[in-house]
Structure formats: structure tokens, C-alpha cells
Amino acid sequence: MVFSGLKRTENLNKMEDQQLDLLVVGGGITGAGIALDASSRGLQTGVIDMQDFAAGTSSRSTKLVHGGLRYLKQFEVKLVAEVGKERAIVYENAPHVTQPEWMLLPIYKEGTFGKFSTSIGLKVYDFLAKVRRHERRTMLSREETLEKEPMLKKEGLQGGGYYVEYRTDDARLTIEVMKGAVSRGVTAVNYTKAEDLLYDDKGKLVGVKAVDLLTNETYKIYAKKVVNATGPWVDDLREIDHSKKGKYLHLTKGIHIVIDGGRFPMDQAIYFDTTNGDGRMIFAIPREGKVYIGTTDTTYKDEPVNPRMTSTDRDYLLEAINGMFPTMKLTAEDVESSWAGVRPLIHEEGKSPSEISRKDEIFVSNSNLITIAGGKLTGYRKMAERVVDLVSQQLHEEDGREFGRCMTDIIKLSGGDVGGSGHFEDFIGEMVKKGVHEGFSDEEAKAIAEKYGSNAEWIFDIAKDNKDTAKRYGLPADILATVIYGIENEMVVTPVDYFTRRRGATLFHIQWVKTWKEAVIRYMSDRFGWSDEQRAGYIEELELALTEAVTPVE
């Protein structure tokens, strides 16, 4: 299959010309996971998303494939056990987008976790999540805790817990899952909205009427089964299906802010209590020379397409950081960038946003619209397995076909063929040698290998073949190569697709985006043949993204 931004129309025509076994509406991590699982079992599968892949919640998380330690407080034992085990699977199958991150949990007098409860909680966590021996928790004295992070508030500090989480690039994880699905025959297209649903004369769902939002062309896509994996928009599709009954979504918003590491020189990831007494906990995580802090958890009732940081959100996190790191005295001017995401939780009466369960649930309507709601990034693979088990069972009952069990626990994601997680550093070393041989600096080659994994060689080859083009557009070879790779192999069609979701640069390297945006847009405009009007629109979209990353909405 082709996963090129230049082949979207071709892919939509292909979907319209056949009856699929399964159409997945929604191209976030859940939809991508369903597509990979379904295709690996032999189902002819298509995916559409009204935005770019991962443009919703799946690029706006805390960027942790984590076991959910705090869910032990809510006695969500099964959830902790499942997602804890899933961390290791994601890491093994995609070590280029998932890395262990030792997390320090400082313990304060009258804090959320006491010394004894932290020790027991982390031990239970290790057991439930089947944490590898060398990654099991360690309890630290007050002195050892301050040695790990000297900037911590010293008053009331009793010690700390030290345990492993897994840091990820959520958008790239989603893209790598989707690329794995496409390599197994899935047809996937972004910027294509399910505008209406199609039914047979018995009222059973048989497909969707979809509109390509970039061309305004309309397509009728027929499928034996349709899965609603649209995250914050699942109730919108249920309303079209007239099946929004009983349980419904409760959207909550979480924001993160990014501070330069020079201003906030922290090397140790921290999970800590807010000091305002609201009982919430916050992450502060170093990444790529920056530190990002989050998250908030507030009920959200606006349109979820473009949630924004408010000054109240920002100030809440700054207060939390300054309370735990009193020498920092961070202000709004120190915030380089931010992002906001919406969690599609299943409503529970009387519970605050932070108390609502992160468990997923499947709804099946009278028309047989299959909806997956709730859940966490970490649990995407098991959510997909449950959905595809249901779809496979229905198809077997209808036409007798047999489908195998879920195999995604052993499927390497795109870019993951690096010899296993234990050999990733060796792989990086080899890739750096190859990159340097092709004219890259050590730093450039390492950055590409770490982000693209085993696809790095492909990018090195693209750079070698396009040196003259890079000079013509005034772009470094490594940047142009990733733009070309993104267009041809990751369905990049807009500058924001590239800068925000394929590179993560709008979030963590906003100045880099400002430096190279004009040259990248010039190349993309020529490659796609944009009109002056289209080009102006995409420039405006990127400028808006850069502004909104820094400027709060009131």
C-alpha cells in the first residue's frame, strides 16, 4: 500500500471501489492500533480521519507510556496491571519512540504518598506491571533524594521513591503504528471526514459518506463493519447513528508547558504533589534540552478540535513548579511553548475529572456501529485487540471466515527493526557511522537514528540523492530528507503535519521551526503544486500554530 501525501485521492478511490471488511473512523493511536491488529489477522481494512493522523488527543498527551501509578490510589488494579505490562511490549517493538525514564517521587510530610505507602505502592506496582528486575523501584533517603534533584523544596522532605516510567513521542508512535498497518495492506487517508453514515434497508450500517476536506470531493466507502475510534468525537458519530444513549463522554482538558533547560536546569524527571493542597500530582520531564510540565485536569465543554492553554492553566502549572522548586521563580515569559489535549473519558456521575476512570469500553449500537471509548495511550494495543476480537467474531458468525488471534505483541512497529530494545544503543552507533559516511555530522545522524529508528538509512539515502535540491531550497540535507520522507512515506500534506506531528518541533524547538519554515513551505508548495491561495492558507495555519503554542486564550 502507498502512504504518501501525494496519493491521497488514489487511496480514497481505492476504498470507494471495494467493500472493506472493516472501516476505522479515527486515525489516532486507537484507530491505528485497530488497523494494525485487523490487517495482521487478514481483514481488508481502511482508515479515515478528519484531521491529520494523531492530530487530536494522540499528539497532546503527557508523552508517557506509563503504568499509571496514581491509579493504585483509586484501586484500579486491573488497569494498572494491564497498562503496566503493555509498557514493556511497546518498548520492545518500538525502542526508537519509547525509552525508559527513571522517575523521582519526592515524599513530603502530609503529601499524597507517605514513605511507607510509597514503598508498598511501588512494590505492588512492580508486581502488577511485571517490571523488569533492573527497573524495579528503589526507596531513597532525604539526602539521596536531594542528590538526585538538588532544586527540590527541602522543607518537609522525608525521602523519595525511584521507579521507571517510559517516555514516548506520542505522535510518532501513532504514525509508526499506522505505517505498520499500511505495510500490511491497510488503506489510510487523513483529512477525510465521515460526514454521514450509510445503512441498508434493514437499518444496518454498511459504510460511510466521506468528504475529502482538502479537495471537497465526496466518497461512499462501504464496509462490513465500521468502528468509531474518533476519541473526543465518538459521541458526534453516535448522534449521527441515533445511538447516543446511556453512557456518554466526559471531556477533560490537560495542558503542558515547555521551559528551556537553561532556565530550568533539571535532568531528573519528577512526579510531585502540587503545593496548593488540591491533591493533584504533576510531571516535570526533561527532553531534548527542554523541560515540559503537566498536566491539568479540568472539564472541557468546547469544540475539541483545537483546545488551548488558558492563562489560568499556565499559571496553575507555574505555581506548582515554583512551589516544588522555590529557587526557580519561573514566570509566564519563561514558557516557550505549550500544548493542550482533550481526554475522552466515560462520564461517571459525581466524580471530578481526576477521579474519572481511564478504563475503555466498547458500545455496539442497534445498527452495529462499534464504538471504542475511554482508555489511555498506553493501553492502545489491548483496546485494539478487544475491538478486533469482536469484529472477527461477528464476521465469523456471518460468513464463516476464521481469523487468528492478536499478534501485535510481537510485531515490530515501523522503524523498530533495531535488534531489540537491549541493542538500541549499538544500533544508534552503527547508524551514526553510516550517517557520517554520507556527510552528516554525528549529531545530525544520531538525531535521525533516534527519531526514525531502522528507517534512518532510508532518510540518509534520500539526503544523498537530493543534495542539489537541498541547495536550491536553502535547506540542510537532513531537513529536506525528512520532509521528503514525510511526504512520501508518512502522508504529510501540510507544514503543520511535518513540523508539529512528524518532528515535534513546534512543541520543543519552536525557534528551529521559525528558522526553516519558509524554505520547507517553498519546497512543499512546489512538490504539491499549491496555488497562491493554498500556500497562503498553509502559511497562515502554521503561523497560527506557532502563536497559539505560546499565547494563552482567555
Side-chain angles (χ1 to χ4, degrees):
M1 290 296 106
V2 179
F3 198 46
S4 166
L6 301 164
K7 302 289 185 180
R8 293 177 61 264
T9 298
E10 184 179 306
N11 284 354
L12 285 166
N13 286 330
K14 184 174 187 296
M15 278 196 274
E16 189 174 48
D17 290 344
Q18 61 180 320
Q19 183 189 36
L20 299 166
D21 290 321
L22 171 63
L23 176 65
V24 182
V25 182
I29 188 63
T30 305
I34 293 167
L36 177 61
D37 193 335
S39 60
S40 69
R41 300 198 214 184
L43 280 75
Q44 191 65 40
T45 305
V47 182
I48 58 172
D49 193 294
M50 70 176 183
Q51 300 185 97
D52 183 30
F53 302 113
T57 305
S58 297
S59 61
R60 299 166 181 265
S61 73
T62 305
K63 305 185 189 304
L64 289 175
V65 181
H66 68 108
L69 175 64
R70 75 183 182 85
Y71 304 131
L72 278 180
K73 283 202 310 176
Q74 300 167 341
F75 302 103
E76 302 242 29
V77 174
K78 187 177 179 183
L79 179 65
V80 172
E82 180 171 291
V83 298
K85 293 168 193 171
E86 284 301 300
R87 299 183 318 169
I89 293 173
V90 176
Y91 178 44
E92 193 59 43
N93 291 333
H96 62 305
V97 288
T98 314
Q99 299 86 32
E101 180 83 55
W102 280 95
M103 191 73 63
L104 177 62
L105 177 66
I107 300 167
Y108 286 88
K109 188 177 181 181
E110 298 178 358
T112 299
F113 291 97
K115 210 163 186 180
F116 178 73
S117 64
T118 299
S119 179
I120 295 299
L122 287 174
K123 191 168 186 177
V124 171
Y125 180 76
D126 284 347
F127 171 75
L128 290 173
K130 293 192 170 4
V131 173
R132 307 170 192 216
R133 185 177 297 276
H134 67 282
E135 293 180 352
R136 291 178 187 168
R137 68 94 172 91
T138 303
M139 296 305 296
L140 305 176
S141 68
R142 183 180 189 276
E143 292 71 27
E144 288 169 327
T145 301
L146 286 172
E147 191 176 322
K148 294 287 184 191
E149 185 43 74
M151 295 186 297
L152 281 171
K153 177 172 70 104
K154 296 173 178 58
E155 182 186 350
L157 180 64
Q158 296 180 321
Y162 201 50
Y163 68 104
V164 167
E165 291 286 21
Y166 284 69
R167 180 165 56 82
T168 191
D169 183 329
D170 49 5
R172 284 220 59 82
L173 175 63
T174 302
I175 291 297
E176 301 295 28
V177 174
M178 192 68 82
K179 284 157 65 181
V182 169
S183 72
R184 285 168 174 78
V186 170
T187 307
V189 185
N190 51 7
Y191 298 104
T192 302
K193 183 178 182 179
E195 196 172 56
D196 206 354
L197 299 175
L198 305 173
Y199 301 90
D200 65 13
D201 55 9
K202 297 178 181 176
K204 294 300 179 183
L205 187 60
V206 294
V208 307
K209 178 184 174 185
V211 59
D212 180 346
L213 298 179
L214 301 185
T215 66
N216 290 320
E217 291 293 321
T218 300
Y219 300 83
K220 288 185 177 179
I221 304 172
Y222 290 92
K224 295 176 182 176
K225 305 295 168 188
V226 177
V227 168
N228 175 11
T230 55
W233 296 273
V234 297
D235 281 350
D236 292 355
L237 208 57
R238 291 171 77 204
E239 283 183 349
I240 294 174
D241 186 54
H242 305 294
S243 60
K244 185 186 166 186
K245 300 167 185 172
K247 294 184 179 180
Y248 58 92
L249 288 190
H250 183 137
L251 302 183
T252 75
K253 186 183 74 172
I255 78 120
H256 297 77
I257 57 175
V258 178
I259 311 290
D260 186 74
R263 179 66 180 87
F264 189 13
M266 188 184 81
D267 295 321
Q268 172 63 59
I270 310 279
Y271 185 38
F272 64 94
D273 284 298
T274 58
T275 52
N276 64 7
D278 68 357
R280 296 200 66 254
M281 297 189 73
I282 300 290
F283 287 103
I285 302 171
R287 170 176 166 167
E288 300 174 26
K290 312 291 180 182
V291 178
Y292 69 96
I293 300 113
T295 180
T296 57
D297 203 356
T298 54
T299 294
Y300 187 76
K301 295 185 177 179
D302 295 328
E303 166 55 48
V305 165
N306 190 29
R308 296 274 304 281
M309 168 184 76
T310 66
S311 55
T312 301
D313 295 330
R314 178 199 61 202
D315 294 346
Y316 174 87
L317 293 181
L318 288 171
E319 180 188 359
I321 285 292
N322 289 329
M324 186 53 61
F325 301 88
T327 62
M328 283 297 94
K329 297 181 171 53
L330 297 173
T331 69
E333 284 68 40
D334 293 312
V335 177
E336 280 195 355
S337 185
S338 71
W339 68 89
V342 175
R343 306 176 190 90
L345 307 179
I346 300 169
H347 181 74
E348 293 180 68
E349 201 62 46
K351 288 195 175 183
S352 72
S354 295
E355 293 172 326
I356 297 175
S357 172
R358 268 55 176 169
K359 288 185 292 190
D360 59 276
E361 194 165 342
I362 297 172
F363 310 139
V364 182
S365 75
N366 290 336
S367 73
N368 203 40
L369 174 66
I370 300 168
T371 295
I372 177 77
K376 291 170 50 61
L377 172 75
T378 311
Y380 85 89
R381 199 190 63 82
K382 292 300 288 185
M383 291 165 65
E385 180 180 347
R386 287 189 277 274
V387 169
V388 180
D389 281 348
L390 173 61
V391 170
S392 298
Q393 179 188 342
Q394 288 187 358
L395 289 172
H396 173 69
E397 290 171 356
E398 290 167 14
D399 60 24
R401 279 190 293 168
E402 296 284 350
F403 299 97
R405 68 167 187 85
C406 174
M407 300 183 296
T408 53
D409 57 332
I410 57 172
I411 292 177
K412 299 290 184 188
L413 301 185
S414 176
D417 294 319
V418 299
S421 58
H423 301 281
F424 189 52
E425 290 306 314
D426 294 336
F427 165 82
I428 294 295
E430 288 300 312
M431 284 297 101
V432 169
K433 287 179 187 175
K434 289 182 180 180
V436 169
H437 180 72
E438 296 297 343
F440 290 88
S441 69
D442 282 20
E443 186 180 340
E444 289 167 345
K446 186 171 186 283
I448 288 172
E450 287 178 340
K451 188 170 289 287
Y452 293 91
S454 53
N455 291 320
E457 283 190 87
W458 201 337
I459 291 170
F460 294 154
D461 288 341
I462 293 172
K464 182 171 63 175
D465 294 340
N466 288 274
K467 288 180 181 177
D468 291 342
T469 305
K471 287 179 184 175
R472 189 162 71 250
Y473 285 93
L475 281 166
D478 62 317
I479 296 178
L480 179 64
T482 58
V483 174
I484 293 173
Y485 180 80
I487 291 170
E488 296 179 352
N489 301 283
E490 296 184 337
M491 203 164 275
V492 164
V493 292
T494 79
V496 173
D497 296 345
Y498 171 73
F499 283 116
T500 300
R501 288 175 287 277
R502 307 305 185 272
R503 294 296 301 257
T506 309
L507 308 182
F508 294 102
H509 302 287
I510 199 164
Q511 192 55 50
W512 183 89
V513 179
K514 292 176 180 178
T515 300
W516 299 112
K517 61 184 181 180
E518 290 180 13
V520 168
I521 288 171
R522 210 161 47 242
Y523 174 80
M524 291 185 68
S525 181
D526 290 347
R527 190 73 192 273
F528 283 102
W530 292 337
S531 66
D532 290 344
E533 184 181 3
Q534 286 174 314
R535 179 170 170 165
Y538 289 132
I539 289 172
E540 183 180 354
E541 181 184 48
L542 180 59
E543 291 300 330
L544 187 61
L546 294 172
T547 300
E548 291 180 346
V550 181
T551 310
V553 62
E554 299 305 330

